[in-house]
Every structure is written in C-alpha cells, then in structure tokens.
Amino acid sequence: MNKLIVKKTGDGSSTIHNTKLDENYHSTYGALQEAVHVFIENGLKKSISDFNINKRLNILEVGFGTGLNCYLSLQYAISNKQNISYTGVESSPLELDVIHQLDYKLSKEEKVLFKKLHLSNWGDSVHISPYFKFFKQNIKFQNFVSKSKFDVIYFDAFGPRVENFLWHINIFNQCFQLLNNNGSFVTYCAKGQVRRDLISSGFEVERLPGPPGKREMLRAIKKIK
Ligand SMILES: C[S@@+](CC[C@H](N)C(=O)[O-])C[C@H]1O[C@@H](n2cnc3c(N)ncnc32)[C@H](O)[C@@H]1O
C-alpha cells in the first residue's frame, strides 16, 4: 500500500516520502533551499535577467505536487510586481490533509495564499493576486496540450529511477515545442543521459552548480538561430 509520510528536511522545511516509490518530493538536504535554488534563482529570475523579460512571464510546472515552487513564484510576482501566468500539471494531486501537515516556514498571511493555490479548482483559471494568474490541471504531462507557449518550464517530476519514461527524448521534444524562443527548462536532475537527450531535442544545455547537497543541476535553453 502507498503511504505518504511528511518529514523534515535539512533546512527545517518539509517534504513528502512516497513509500511505494521509495521517493521523496524534494531533496532531503533542504526542500525549500532546493526549490529556491533550482526553480526560482536559476529558472524564473535567470530568465528575467538574461532575456530582459518585461512582459507577463508564462511558467509551466511539470509535477505541481505540494505547490512549493508555485508558491515561491507567487511570492516573487507579488514582491516584484511581475505579472506571471502559472500552469501546474499534476497526475496525482495530494489530499488536503497531507498539504496541511507541510511546514514551509510561512507566516499566517502567507499560509492564506498557499492555501488558495490548493483550494482552487483543478481545470479553472483564477487570479491568486492581481499579478498572478493560476491554472492547475490534473492530467499526465504526456497528455498535456496548450495553445499558449511558455517562457520557463520547471521540470520537477520524480527522478529517472522511478519515472524513466518522463526523462525521455519524446517528453523533451514536447517541452521544446511548448517553449517560446529563449525559453528555459530547469531541473534538479543532472544525469548525463538527460543532458544528452535534451541536446538531441534541440536545447542548448548548461550544467549549473546544484543546491546544497547536490553537485549540479541542468538548465536548457531553446535558441532558434
Ligand atoms: C518530485 S515531486 C514534485 C514536487 C513538487 N514540484 C513540489 O514542489 O512539491 C513529483 C510530482 O510529479 C507528479 N507526477 C508524476 N508523474 C507525473 C506525470 N506523468 N505528469 C504530471 N505529474 C506527474 C507526482 O505526482 C509528484 O507530485
């Protein structure tokens, strides 16, 4: 039987352990640290600074999970008055009783916003703040289609050991098609085969220093010459 166990990581923030897959939702060295480093610093912020983005930023997350990356993006949108449209794709949404056990070191007001993300309906587009348009879809990413394109993809699926089919060239081709020119794909995974398959899909790939406890992460850019 699958059990989801909420546990503490190295930086004091929570993650979830999926007993059936024997896999964690985040790095055990620090869930919050990892999310900030991989997705906010090297995804969202780096895209804005490298490509001088001064329009609405369109973000897609593969594996919405606990909503941590989404919440941190919301926080950025509000603090920086940056318009963001955020789409979260998730095949197995978490129950609210599990979400309520998570500790992301949020103040009372921040918890209200975090809850809003989880209480919004799957399949409905809502404004969580005037700066943050949010849409979450309960679907397998393999079946996800979109009329709009994205500036950043947070690729936060379970690792290749567990879900090898998601770290496959077909999925990277799908990501490439979903991105705007200069769009970026960021992930915590730095496996050589993943890097080579991203390159085969047409991306320019860089290895960046990973979050505490992990040597490297990957950032792939869609550049059309
Ligand atoms: C590493 S955890 C996600 C962490 C999440 N971003 C967070 O901050 O909590 C991977 C997530 O991907 C979801 N997932 C697994 N396979 C998927 C698929 N084929 N399509 C969409 N989501 C998937 C899992 O259910 C899980 O929530």
Side-chain angles (χ1 to χ4, degrees):
M1 200 182 77
N2 185 26
K3 261 175 77 185
L4 298 177
I5 297 167
V6 174
K7 61 183 204 182
K8 216 179 213 186
T9 65
D11 64 3
S13 63
S14 312
T15 193
I16 296 172
H17 181 71
N18 180 315
T19 55
K20 191 172 168 195
L21 303 174
D22 188 22
E23 181 82 345
N24 296 311
Y25 276 55
H26 307 94
S27 160
T28 52
Y29 292 99
L32 194 52
Q33 273 177 180
E34 178 186 51
V36 169
H37 178 87
V38 176
F39 300 104
I40 305 304
E41 294 295 335
N42 288 304
L44 191 168
K45 286 195 191 175
K46 216 166 175 4
S47 270
I48 290 177
S49 65
D50 282 6
F51 302 114
N52 291 316
I53 291 180
N54 51 15
K55 57 169 183 96
R56 171 177 290 276
L57 194 72
N58 221 355
I59 300 177
L60 170 66
E61 176 170 28
V62 180
F64 176 77
T66 65
L68 176 59
N69 300 330
C70 181
Y71 176 74
L72 294 170
S73 305
L74 165 65
Q75 225 178 24
Y76 180 90
I78 296 172
S79 313
N80 295 280
K81 298 187 166 48
Q82 166 67 51
N83 285 309
I84 290 179
S85 284
Y86 197 101
T87 300
V89 175
E90 173 57 57
S91 58
S92 308
L94 291 165
E95 301 284 348
L96 282 177
D97 68 322
V98 177
I99 302 284
H100 288 149
Q101 294 172 49
L102 296 166
D103 180 3
Y104 287 144
K105 314 272 157 225
L106 305 180
S107 68
K108 226 172 153 186
E109 292 75 28
E110 290 171 331
K111 277 184 185 158
V112 172
L113 281 178
F114 183 68
K115 260 193 193 162
K116 269 192 177 183
L117 297 173
H118 289 287
L119 292 177
S120 78
N121 291 327
W122 293 92
D124 282 351
S125 185
V126 287
H127 269 95
I128 303 291
S129 116
Y131 295 105
F132 199 81
K133 197 171 159 204
F134 176 54
F135 175 71
K136 58 180 181 182
Q137 194 172 1
N138 179 192
I139 191 173
K140 286 187 174 161
F141 180 62
Q142 306 87 295
N143 303 327
F144 173 75
V145 285
S146 168
K147 280 188 192 138
S148 33
K149 294 215 172 190
F150 298 89
D151 302 299
V152 185
I153 295 179
Y154 298 168
F155 199 79
D156 202 10
F158 286 130
R161 178 188 63 85
V162 193
E163 290 190 310
N164 203 24
F165 59 94
L166 278 178
W167 302 83
H168 188 271
I169 192 159
N170 292 345
I171 298 287
F172 299 151
N173 287 340
Q174 182 185 349
C175 291
F176 192 86
Q177 292 306 324
L178 284 165
L179 283 169
N180 288 317
N181 194 18
N182 288 332
S184 63
F185 165 111
V186 275
T187 185
Y188 62 88
C189 178
K191 260 186 100 174
Q193 190 57 50
V194 170
R195 192 178 67 86
R196 288 188 289 278
D197 286 344
L198 283 165
I199 292 170
S200 301
S201 293
F203 286 102
E204 280 186 17
V205 186
E206 51 184 340
R207 291 193 193 97
L208 299 173
K214 291 193 174 176
R215 204 157 56 90
E216 290 180 329
M217 57 163 281
L218 296 178
R219 179 175 186 242
I221 309 290
K222 173 176 178 173
K223 281 206 177 127
I224 308 285
K225 278 122 200 166

